[in-house]
Amino acid sequence: MDLEAYFLKTLQASGVTWGLGDDGVLLPPFKRAVIALDIFAQNVHFKPEWLSFERVGYKAMVVNISDMIAMNATPTHALLGVSLDQRMGKQDIRDLVAGMARACTEFKISIIGGDTIVGDHLHLSVTMLGTTHRPLERKGARLGDLIAHTGTLGQSYKALQTLLRGGKVSPKNKFITPRFKHARFIASARQFLHAGLDVSDGLLSECNRLSQVNRLAFKLYQPRTRAYQSGEEYEMLFCFAPKHYLALRVRARAHRVRLSVVGKVCRGRSRYPALVWHKN
């Protein structure tokens, strides 16, 4: 059983939720304020032998920044919920903070509060606050749209398999250090995009999500491509009208972003067999 999916389904059925199902939530009345939250947990998202504390701090921040980029929002502030491992030393904590600070400096974010406890493992919950003038949501796909993603997929899956076997992975690998070359491209192309999200759980999973929200099938040309199972890619998946393909290509080249058209929006629903990514 996918406990995460069951929990979210049960929570939504409780009648006390609002705005669930997107990368972040647009707050009324003006829908310019965006809030997103992600948990980065030891032995689920990372193992201590895989990432240094500095890289844990950095990645915990940037996975939330990815959600902001996915909604065409600019992150501005963050709240932290941190459960420190009681075995951590002072240097470990300095390294963890250095990683967070590096991400905040890179993306011009201020940490404005939160809560800290000490426990048996290291877990970080980051609430990211941002603003947008033209949000990109998961809902809005249209029949006949083309489906595309930025960058290349599959690198994180290969890295995870290597790490699980006890191997080493380059710090430049996106599983270790996510990269967002597509951020400016998404902002420049927003007028042409109908719906989108970042690829955090694998392209197949994301197509299933978009299908459910839009009540349309996100039909992939080659659904058995192994790279489509790869999560933590943090590339963008989106759909747009075929007539805007050339305009998007021009903007992708201008920002040195690779653009791949992988499918089409059709009638029906998508139910691709996808991996439950975070079960390390």
Side-chain angles (χ1 to χ4, degrees), residues 35-55:
I35 297 179
L37 182 149
D38 259 320
I39 296 173
F40 198 58
Q42 183 177 331
N43 296 328
V44 178
H45 300 91
F46 71 93
K47 293 182 183 295
E49 58 269 26
W50 293 356
L51 299 176
S52 67
F53 287 110
E54 196 274 344
R55 294 194 182 280

Side-chain angles (χ1 to χ4, degrees), residues 55 95 99 119 123 129 137 187-188 202 224 276:
R55 294 194 182 280
D95 291 343
H123 302 312
L129 314 176
E137 299 179 73
S188 71
R224 294 185 180 180
V276 178

Side-chain angles (χ1 to χ4, degrees), residues 85-104:
D85 189 328
Q86 59 188 347
R87 293 162 291 189
M88 293 175 67
K90 291 182 178 180
Q91 185 59 52
D92 298 331
I93 291 175
R94 286 195 292 268
D95 291 343
L96 182 69
V97 171
M100 295 180 192
R102 177 162 67 95
C104 288

Side-chain angles (χ1 to χ4, degrees), residues 7 11 20 63 69 117 146 190 193 199 215 219-221 254 258-259 275:
F7 171 77
L11 183 62
L20 293 184
V63 296
I69 293 172
I117 62 172
L146 296 179
R190 172 61 189 95
L193 309 182
V199 182
R215 298 184 179 183
K219 187 176 181 180
L220 298 170
Y221 298 142
R258 180 173 178 174
L259 187 64
L275 292 177

Side-chain angles (χ1 to χ4, degrees), residues 7-17 20:
F7 171 77
L8 291 173
K9 182 179 179 180
T10 304
L11 183 62
Q12 286 178 310
S14 70
V16 298
T17 66
L20 293 184

